[in-house]
Amino acid sequence: MKITQFEVLDSTNSYIKRNYEKLDHFEVISTNHQTEGKGRLGRIWLDDGDSLLFSILIKNDIKMENISQLPLVVAMVIHETLYPYIPDLLIKWPNDLVVHDKKLCGILIESISSHQEIHAVVVGIGINLSTQSFPESIKETATSFFLETNQSICSSLLIKDITSKLEQELKYLNQNKSQFVSYSKKYSFLLGKKISFIKDSKIMHGIAQDIKANGNLLVKTSHEVIEISTGEVHLIK
Ligand code: BTN
């Protein structure tokens, strides 16, 4: 496994997207700081200097029909890696890792495509590792490995562990042997809870009911069951 470490990059995802042709399958790009870290849904991912920031390039082994499953597969692999340290860690569909609804890890998956053909996929992972206190604005919604465990952890071992588990899991996914649906249900933060979500530009409410084999979430509203494939989901407290 090749891991290249930088001191500063704009974004590990953007770096891979610019250079993917000369990078290897499952090559990892990691950095200590990002100046333009990207989050899901066009948001920014703030760099507090205490996070693990890395991206993995997947060039082969990825079938079009598996792309929608990838967010939960990546979330499962990270959950498996961190759960021994943080027993209250849960997966918040589609791919956040939370402890008591405070975010510990975010995942941004981007595909590199042209003419409707996917050439490669970039899996970007940000884990709050050693942050001791968060700014007031995100104090109630963010947590870190250190805050949850009072320990530090070797970041390069974590990267190696997550990346090799993902490589293995993609093989299982291609053989239809992946356990990611049952795993995501077992450790789901949302299932059975009242949530709000956006569908066709409308804010809707319902109970998160199930996760389908394709990775989509089923939500029961007052009069129908709706399948959501992506987007933002909030817990109603
Ligand atoms: C989210 O929760 O919105 C996803 C956040 C993903 C952040 C990581 S940090 C490493 C990689 N590079 C980026 O620019 N973003 C991802």
Side-chain angles (χ1 to χ4, degrees):
M1 176 191 310
K2 187 170 171 196
I3 302 175
T4 307
Q5 174 73 34
F6 289 85
E7 179 54 28
V8 187
L9 281 179
D10 51 352
S11 142
T12 52
N13 272 36
S14 304
Y15 178 90
I16 290 191
K17 284 171 85 178
R18 285 194 300 271
N19 297 289
Y20 83 96
E21 277 166 317
K22 47 182 193 253
L23 300 175
D24 293 339
H25 177 50
F26 263 90
E27 187 160 343
V28 178
I29 300 296
S30 172
T31 189
N32 291 336
H33 297 283
Q34 290 186 138
T35 53
E36 289 170 49
K38 296 186 289 185
R40 290 179 63 236
L41 308 170
R43 288 184 295 232
I44 53 168
W45 179 265
L46 276 180
D47 174 21
D48 64 1
D50 291 312
S51 306
L52 186 60
L53 310 165
F54 67 106
S55 300
I56 305 165
L57 172 64
I58 303 172
K59 280 177 121 168
N60 321 316
D61 292 353
I62 184 84
K63 295 184 187 160
M64 264 303 268
E65 64 265 30
N66 290 346
I67 298 263
S68 69
Q69 302 167 330
L70 201 53
L72 281 178
V73 172
V74 178
M76 170 177 77
V77 160
I78 300 172
H79 186 278
E80 282 174 340
T81 309
L82 295 177
Y83 177 70
Y85 305 93
I86 309 174
D88 287 346
L89 186 65
L90 292 174
I91 298 171
K92 186 173 183 180
W93 186 94
N95 57 5
D96 283 345
L97 286 142
V98 298
V99 190
H100 307 128
D101 203 13
K102 289 186 169 188
K103 185 155 161 169
L104 178 86
C105 166
I107 301 162
L108 174 67
I109 297 178
E110 296 184 276
S111 46
I112 303 170
S113 56
S114 62
H115 308 109
Q116 296 185 338
E117 192 194 330
I118 296 191
H119 307 298
V121 173
V122 186
V123 176
I125 298 168
I127 304 177
N128 300 325
L129 267 198
S130 45
T131 319
Q132 300 201 5
S133 70
F134 287 97
E136 204 57 43
S137 56
I138 54 168
K139 213 170 151 183
E140 297 304 317
T141 52
T143 189
S144 71
F145 183 88
F146 177 81
L147 288 173
E148 295 300 330
T149 62
N150 245 314
Q151 293 176 42
S152 50
I153 188 164
C154 173
S155 49
S156 58
L157 283 185
L158 210 51
I159 293 179
K160 281 184 196 145
D161 203 5
I162 290 169
T163 308
S164 55
K165 279 197 176 92
L166 181 61
E167 204 164 359
Q168 181 58 52
E169 205 49 48
L170 281 190
K171 292 193 181 118
Y172 291 146
L173 191 64
N174 286 338
Q175 297 161 8
N176 289 321
K177 284 189 191 153
S178 177
Q179 304 287 312
F180 81 96
V181 176
S182 53
Y183 192 97
S184 318
K185 285 187 194 177
K186 181 170 178 192
Y187 294 105
S188 168
F189 174 69
L190 289 182
L191 287 188
K193 294 192 177 135
K194 208 169 170 196
I195 60 166
S196 69
F197 58 98
I198 294 174
K199 178 94 181 164
D200 302 331
S201 314
K202 277 190 294 193
I203 298 178
M204 302 186 72
H205 301 271
I207 307 279
Q209 201 177 41
D210 202 3
I211 295 168
K212 285 185 62 179
N214 60 6
N216 289 351
L217 183 70
L218 291 181
V219 186
K220 191 172 185 334
T221 67
S222 50
H223 52 284
E224 61 185 328
V225 176
I226 294 183
E227 182 169 338
I228 338 177
S229 59
T230 184
E232 186 79 321
V233 169
H234 292 286
L235 185 71
I236 300 176
K237 290 182 183 162

Tab-separated table of all heavy atoms in Angstrom, residues 106-149:
chain	number	residue	atom	x	y	z
A	106	GLY	N	-16.326	12.264	8.922
A	106	GLY	CA	-17.124	12.529	7.724
A	106	GLY	C	-16.448	11.896	6.519
A	106	GLY	O	-15.217	11.753	6.478
A	107	ILE	N	-17.255	11.511	5.557
A	107	ILE	CA	-16.742	10.822	4.367
A	107	ILE	C	-17.278	11.524	3.126
A	107	ILE	O	-18.474	11.813	3.045
A	107	ILE	CB	-17.214	9.347	4.363
A	107	ILE	CG1	-16.729	8.616	5.621
A	107	ILE	CG2	-16.743	8.617	3.114
A	107	ILE	CD1	-17.483	7.327	5.914
A	108	LEU	N	-16.386	11.824	2.203
A	108	LEU	CA	-16.808	12.447	0.937
A	108	LEU	C	-16.340	11.553	-0.214
A	108	LEU	O	-15.143	11.409	-0.445
A	108	LEU	CB	-16.201	13.848	0.794
A	108	LEU	CG	-16.455	14.535	-0.543
A	108	LEU	CD1	-17.939	14.856	-0.719
A	108	LEU	CD2	-15.635	15.820	-0.661
A	109	ILE	N	-17.313	10.968	-0.921
A	109	ILE	CA	-16.972	10.093	-2.045
A	109	ILE	C	-17.253	10.830	-3.347
A	109	ILE	O	-18.352	11.345	-3.550
A	109	ILE	CB	-17.784	8.783	-1.958
A	109	ILE	CG1	-17.385	8.050	-0.675
A	109	ILE	CG2	-17.534	7.909	-3.187
A	109	ILE	CD1	-18.111	6.775	-0.409
A	110	GLU	N	-16.235	10.919	-4.194
A	110	GLU	CA	-16.408	11.615	-5.474
A	110	GLU	C	-15.978	10.677	-6.595
A	110	GLU	O	-14.991	9.952	-6.457
A	110	GLU	CB	-15.537	12.867	-5.525
A	110	GLU	CG	-15.920	13.910	-4.485
A	110	GLU	CD	-15.090	15.175	-4.647
A	110	GLU	OE1	-13.963	15.212	-4.120
A	110	GLU	OE2	-15.570	16.115	-5.292
A	111	SER	N	-16.715	10.724	-7.713
A	111	SER	CA	-16.260	9.893	-8.818
A	111	SER	C	-15.610	10.755	-9.888
A	111	SER	O	-15.926	11.936	-10.045
A	111	SER	CB	-17.394	9.041	-9.372
A	111	SER	OG	-18.523	9.819	-9.543
A	112	ILE	N	-14.673	10.141	-10.602
A	112	ILE	CA	-13.989	10.815	-11.706
A	112	ILE	C	-14.549	10.183	-12.973
A	112	ILE	O	-14.348	8.991	-13.222
A	112	ILE	CB	-12.466	10.600	-11.619
A	112	ILE	CG1	-11.939	11.092	-10.262
A	112	ILE	CG2	-11.751	11.302	-12.764
A	112	ILE	CD1	-10.493	10.710	-9.991
A	113	SER	N	-15.306	10.960	-13.737
A	113	SER	CA	-15.969	10.344	-14.885
A	113	SER	C	-15.961	11.263	-16.093
A	113	SER	O	-15.782	12.480	-15.969
A	113	SER	CB	-17.409	9.990	-14.511
A	113	SER	OG	-18.066	11.137	-14.057
A	114	SER	N	-16.126	10.664	-17.256
A	114	SER	CA	-16.367	11.442	-18.462
A	114	SER	C	-17.225	10.591	-19.389
A	114	SER	O	-17.118	9.358	-19.384
A	114	SER	CB	-15.058	11.833	-19.148
A	114	SER	OG	-14.360	10.687	-19.545
A	115	HIS	N	-18.078	11.238	-20.169
A	115	HIS	CA	-18.990	10.545	-21.087
A	115	HIS	C	-19.712	9.391	-20.399
A	115	HIS	O	-19.749	8.276	-20.907
A	115	HIS	CB	-18.239	10.034	-22.330
A	115	HIS	CG	-17.446	11.125	-22.991
A	115	HIS	ND1	-16.076	11.165	-22.958
A	115	HIS	CD2	-17.840	12.223	-23.649
A	115	HIS	CE1	-15.653	12.241	-23.595
A	115	HIS	NE2	-16.703	12.903	-24.024
A	116	GLN	N	-20.222	9.664	-19.213
A	116	GLN	CA	-21.015	8.693	-18.435
A	116	GLN	C	-20.240	7.437	-18.056
A	116	GLN	O	-20.823	6.418	-17.710
A	116	GLN	CB	-22.289	8.324	-19.190
A	116	GLN	CG	-23.168	9.552	-19.341
A	116	GLN	CD	-24.493	9.258	-19.965
A	116	GLN	OE1	-24.647	8.262	-20.651
A	116	GLN	NE2	-25.453	10.129	-19.744
A	117	GLU	N	-18.907	7.531	-18.149
A	117	GLU	CA	-18.108	6.375	-17.735
A	117	GLU	C	-17.297	6.762	-16.505
A	117	GLU	O	-16.649	7.822	-16.494
A	117	GLU	CB	-17.167	5.980	-18.880
A	117	GLU	CG	-16.530	4.636	-18.658
A	117	GLU	CD	-15.366	4.410	-19.615
A	117	GLU	OE1	-15.418	4.961	-20.739
A	117	GLU	OE2	-14.421	3.738	-19.226
A	118	ILE	N	-17.351	5.926	-15.476
A	118	ILE	CA	-16.592	6.228	-14.261
A	118	ILE	C	-15.195	5.636	-14.398
A	118	ILE	O	-15.031	4.436	-14.606
A	118	ILE	CB	-17.319	5.681	-13.017
A	118	ILE	CG1	-18.656	6.428	-12.874
A	118	ILE	CG2	-16.464	5.856	-11.763
A	118	ILE	CD1	-19.395	6.218	-11.602
A	119	HIS	N	-14.176	6.504	-14.301
A	119	HIS	CA	-12.793	6.027	-14.424
A	119	HIS	C	-12.227	5.628	-13.061
A	119	HIS	O	-11.384	4.757	-12.961
A	119	HIS	CB	-11.897	7.118	-15.016
A	119	HIS	CG	-12.432	7.667	-16.297
A	119	HIS	ND1	-12.601	6.892	-17.414
A	119	HIS	CD2	-12.865	8.910	-16.634
A	119	HIS	CE1	-13.101	7.625	-18.389
A	119	HIS	NE2	-13.280	8.853	-17.941
A	120	ALA	N	-12.656	6.352	-12.042
A	120	ALA	CA	-12.099	6.091	-10.720
A	120	ALA	C	-13.003	6.734	-9.676
A	120	ALA	O	-13.853	7.569	-9.995
A	120	ALA	CB	-10.697	6.680	-10.624
A	121	VAL	N	-12.784	6.327	-8.428
A	121	VAL	CA	-13.570	6.889	-7.328
A	121	VAL	C	-12.588	7.334	-6.239
A	121	VAL	O	-11.595	6.663	-5.978
A	121	VAL	CB	-14.558	5.823	-6.771
A	121	VAL	CG1	-15.258	6.332	-5.528
A	121	VAL	CG2	-15.598	5.448	-7.822
A	122	VAL	N	-12.875	8.492	-5.646
A	122	VAL	CA	-12.033	8.997	-4.559
A	122	VAL	C	-12.831	8.930	-3.262
A	122	VAL	O	-13.943	9.458	-3.182
A	122	VAL	CB	-11.621	10.474	-4.800
A	122	VAL	CG1	-10.631	10.927	-3.732
A	122	VAL	CG2	-11.053	10.658	-6.193
A	123	VAL	N	-12.261	8.260	-2.275
A	123	VAL	CA	-12.912	8.160	-0.969
A	123	VAL	C	-12.142	9.062	-0.006
A	123	VAL	O	-11.006	8.768	0.366
A	123	VAL	CB	-12.887	6.701	-0.452
A	123	VAL	CG1	-13.473	6.622	0.954
A	123	VAL	CG2	-13.637	5.782	-1.407
A	124	GLY	N	-12.741	10.175	0.373
A	124	GLY	CA	-12.082	11.133	1.271
A	124	GLY	C	-12.609	10.962	2.688
A	124	GLY	O	-13.819	10.884	2.907
A	125	ILE	N	-11.694	10.896	3.628
A	125	ILE	CA	-12.085	10.629	5.019
A	125	ILE	C	-11.471	11.679	5.952
A	125	ILE	O	-10.266	11.957	5.882
A	125	ILE	CB	-11.605	9.212	5.438
A	125	ILE	CG1	-12.288	8.156	4.555
A	125	ILE	CG2	-11.892	8.939	6.916
A	125	ILE	CD1	-11.699	6.761	4.649
A	126	GLY	N	-12.296	12.255	6.786
A	126	GLY	CA	-11.805	13.194	7.808
A	126	GLY	C	-12.241	12.685	9.175
A	126	GLY	O	-13.432	12.508	9.418
A	127	ILE	N	-11.267	12.419	10.055
A	127	ILE	CA	-11.599	11.931	11.408
A	127	ILE	C	-11.035	12.920	12.419
A	127	ILE	O	-9.847	13.255	12.387
A	127	ILE	CB	-10.982	10.532	11.675
A	127	ILE	CG1	-11.438	9.520	10.612
A	127	ILE	CG2	-11.361	10.030	13.068
A	127	ILE	CD1	-10.815	8.124	10.743
A	128	ASN	N	-11.903	13.399	13.303
A	128	ASN	CA	-11.427	14.291	14.370
A	128	ASN	C	-10.662	13.429	15.365
A	128	ASN	O	-11.244	12.625	16.086
A	128	ASN	CB	-12.610	14.962	15.078
A	128	ASN	CG	-13.441	15.800	14.128
A	128	ASN	OD1	-12.909	16.414	13.211
A	128	ASN	ND2	-14.741	15.817	14.336
A	129	LEU	N	-9.342	13.613	15.394
A	129	LEU	CA	-8.525	12.702	16.206
A	129	LEU	C	-8.181	13.260	17.581
A	129	LEU	O	-8.589	12.736	18.597
A	129	LEU	CB	-7.209	12.404	15.480
A	129	LEU	CG	-7.117	11.183	14.576
A	129	LEU	CD1	-5.679	10.840	14.319
A	129	LEU	CD2	-7.875	9.992	15.144
A	130	SER	N	-7.402	14.345	17.580
A	130	SER	CA	-6.882	14.771	18.877
A	130	SER	C	-7.412	16.129	19.328
A	130	SER	O	-6.851	16.726	20.250
A	130	SER	CB	-5.350	14.771	18.828
A	130	SER	OG	-4.913	15.361	17.642
A	131	THR	N	-8.487	16.593	18.712
A	131	THR	CA	-9.078	17.874	19.113
A	131	THR	C	-9.501	17.810	20.584
A	131	THR	O	-10.189	16.876	20.987
A	131	THR	CB	-10.337	18.167	18.248
A	131	THR	OG1	-10.052	17.800	16.910
A	131	THR	CG2	-10.728	19.624	18.345
A	132	GLN	N	-9.058	18.805	21.347
A	132	GLN	CA	-9.411	18.791	22.777
A	132	GLN	C	-10.604	19.674	23.077
A	132	GLN	O	-11.327	19.457	24.036
A	132	GLN	CB	-8.204	19.209	23.607
A	132	GLN	CG	-7.063	18.249	23.382
A	132	GLN	CD	-6.047	18.268	24.495
A	132	GLN	OE1	-6.219	18.940	25.495
A	132	GLN	NE2	-4.969	17.547	24.313
A	133	SER	N	-10.775	20.730	22.258
A	133	SER	CA	-12.005	21.523	22.420
A	133	SER	C	-12.367	22.131	21.068
A	133	SER	O	-11.484	22.559	20.318
A	133	SER	CB	-11.829	22.605	23.480
A	133	SER	OG	-10.955	23.581	23.014
A	134	PHE	N	-13.636	22.119	20.763
A	134	PHE	CA	-14.125	22.644	19.487
A	134	PHE	C	-14.626	24.071	19.681
A	134	PHE	O	-15.059	24.436	20.784
A	134	PHE	CB	-15.278	21.772	18.965
A	134	PHE	CG	-14.833	20.439	18.431
A	134	PHE	CD1	-14.880	19.301	19.226
A	134	PHE	CD2	-14.354	20.322	17.128
A	134	PHE	CE1	-14.453	18.075	18.740
A	134	PHE	CE2	-13.935	19.101	16.634
A	134	PHE	CZ	-13.983	17.978	17.442
A	135	PRO	N	-14.606	24.877	18.600
A	135	PRO	CA	-15.163	26.217	18.706
A	135	PRO	C	-16.643	26.168	19.104
A	135	PRO	O	-17.322	25.168	18.843
A	135	PRO	CB	-15.022	26.797	17.295
A	135	PRO	CG	-14.311	25.795	16.480
A	135	PRO	CD	-14.110	24.554	17.285
A	136	GLU	N	-17.102	27.231	19.731
A	136	GLU	CA	-18.479	27.312	20.235
A	136	GLU	C	-19.508	26.876	19.185
A	136	GLU	O	-20.451	26.143	19.496
A	136	GLU	CB	-18.738	28.771	20.666
A	136	GLU	CG	-19.818	28.964	21.696
A	136	GLU	CD	-19.588	28.182	22.998
A	136	GLU	OE1	-18.437	28.146	23.505
A	136	GLU	OE2	-20.564	27.582	23.462
A	137	SER	N	-19.265	27.283	17.912
A	137	SER	CA	-20.268	27.046	16.865
A	137	SER	C	-20.513	25.557	16.581
A	137	SER	O	-21.580	25.182	16.113
A	137	SER	CB	-19.848	27.755	15.581
A	137	SER	OG	-18.569	27.313	15.203
A	138	ILE	N	-19.497	24.700	16.838
A	138	ILE	CA	-19.713	23.265	16.538
A	138	ILE	C	-19.551	22.363	17.781
A	138	ILE	O	-19.575	21.138	17.663
A	138	ILE	CB	-18.783	22.766	15.393
A	138	ILE	CG1	-17.305	23.068	15.677
A	138	ILE	CG2	-19.202	23.319	14.059
A	138	ILE	CD1	-16.365	22.344	14.715
A	139	LYS	N	-19.418	23.022	18.927
A	139	LYS	CA	-19.216	22.289	20.184
A	139	LYS	C	-20.293	21.226	20.452
A	139	LYS	O	-20.015	20.151	20.954
A	139	LYS	CB	-19.259	23.322	21.309
A	139	LYS	CG	-18.387	23.036	22.473
A	139	LYS	CD	-18.370	24.245	23.340
A	139	LYS	CE	-18.151	23.850	24.781
A	139	LYS	NZ	-18.209	25.013	25.635
A	140	GLU	N	-21.524	21.563	20.094
A	140	GLU	CA	-22.643	20.654	20.379
A	140	GLU	C	-22.790	19.566	19.323
A	140	GLU	O	-23.556	18.631	19.502
A	140	GLU	CB	-23.974	21.443	20.457
A	140	GLU	CG	-24.037	22.462	21.582
A	140	GLU	CD	-23.773	21.826	22.948
A	140	GLU	OE1	-24.312	20.736	23.213
A	140	GLU	OE2	-23.000	22.413	23.728
A	141	THR	N	-22.082	19.714	18.197
A	141	THR	CA	-22.313	18.766	17.092
A	141	THR	C	-21.059	17.963	16.693
A	141	THR	O	-21.132	17.123	15.814
A	141	THR	CB	-22.820	19.518	15.838
A	141	THR	OG1	-21.916	20.590	15.565
A	141	THR	CG2	-24.219	20.062	16.020
A	142	ALA	N	-19.924	18.257	17.338
A	142	ALA	CA	-18.686	17.556	16.943
A	142	ALA	C	-18.011	16.923	18.160
A	142	ALA	O	-18.109	17.426	19.283
A	142	ALA	CB	-17.734	18.543	16.279
A	143	THR	N	-17.316	15.813	17.894
A	143	THR	CA	-16.509	15.210	18.955
A	143	THR	C	-15.224	14.659	18.321
A	143	THR	O	-15.074	14.674	17.096
A	143	THR	CB	-17.281	14.113	19.717
A	143	THR	OG1	-16.515	13.729	20.858
A	143	THR	CG2	-17.564	12.892	18.857
A	144	SER	N	-14.300	14.215	19.178
A	144	SER	CA	-13.039	13.698	18.643
A	144	SER	C	-12.683	12.382	19.333
A	144	SER	O	-13.220	12.056	20.395
A	144	SER	CB	-11.905	14.705	18.882
A	144	SER	OG	-11.594	14.747	20.265
A	145	PHE	N	-11.753	11.651	18.711
A	145	PHE	CA	-11.282	10.395	19.303
A	145	PHE	C	-10.751	10.661	20.716
A	145	PHE	O	-11.057	9.939	21.656
A	145	PHE	CB	-10.177	9.805	18.413
A	145	PHE	CG	-9.674	8.482	18.891
A	145	PHE	CD1	-10.284	7.302	18.483
A	145	PHE	CD2	-8.591	8.405	19.760
A	145	PHE	CE1	-9.827	6.068	18.946
A	145	PHE	CE2	-8.133	7.181	20.227
A	145	PHE	CZ	-8.751	6.015	19.814
A	146	PHE	N	-9.988	11.733	20.868
A	146	PHE	CA	-9.411	12.046	22.178
A	146	PHE	C	-10.499	12.334	23.213
A	146	PHE	O	-10.466	11.832	24.336
A	146	PHE	CB	-8.456	13.247	22.067
A	146	PHE	CG	-7.898	13.641	23.402
A	146	PHE	CD1	-6.829	12.956	23.956
A	146	PHE	CD2	-8.471	14.668	24.133
A	146	PHE	CE1	-6.342	13.290	25.215
A	146	PHE	CE2	-7.988	15.019	25.389
A	146	PHE	CZ	-6.913	14.319	25.932
A	147	LEU	N	-11.503	13.134	22.815
A	147	LEU	CA	-12.563	13.487	23.772
A	147	LEU	C	-13.368	12.263	24.201
A	147	LEU	O	-13.851	12.193	25.318
A	147	LEU	CB	-13.502	14.544	23.176
A	147	LEU	CG	-12.911	15.947	23.046
A	147	LEU	CD1	-13.877	16.865	22.297
A	147	LEU	CD2	-12.581	16.541	24.410
A	148	GLU	N	-13.473	11.280	23.310
A	148	GLU	CA	-14.268	10.094	23.637
A	148	GLU	C	-13.479	9.045	24.406
A	148	GLU	O	-14.069	8.226	25.104
A	148	GLU	CB	-14.846	9.457	22.348
A	148	GLU	CG	-15.835	10.335	21.610
A	148	GLU	CD	-17.067	10.718	22.444
A	148	GLU	OE1	-17.469	9.921	23.314
A	148	GLU	OE2	-17.599	11.822	22.238
A	149	THR	N	-12.151	9.037	24.246
A	149	THR	CA	-11.380	7.923	24.823
A	149	THR	C	-10.299	8.372	25.811
A	149	THR	O	-9.751	7.540	26.517
A	149	THR	CB	-10.627	7.157	23.711
A	149	THR	OG1	-9.697	8.054	23.096
A	149	THR	CG2	-11.575	6.603	22.665
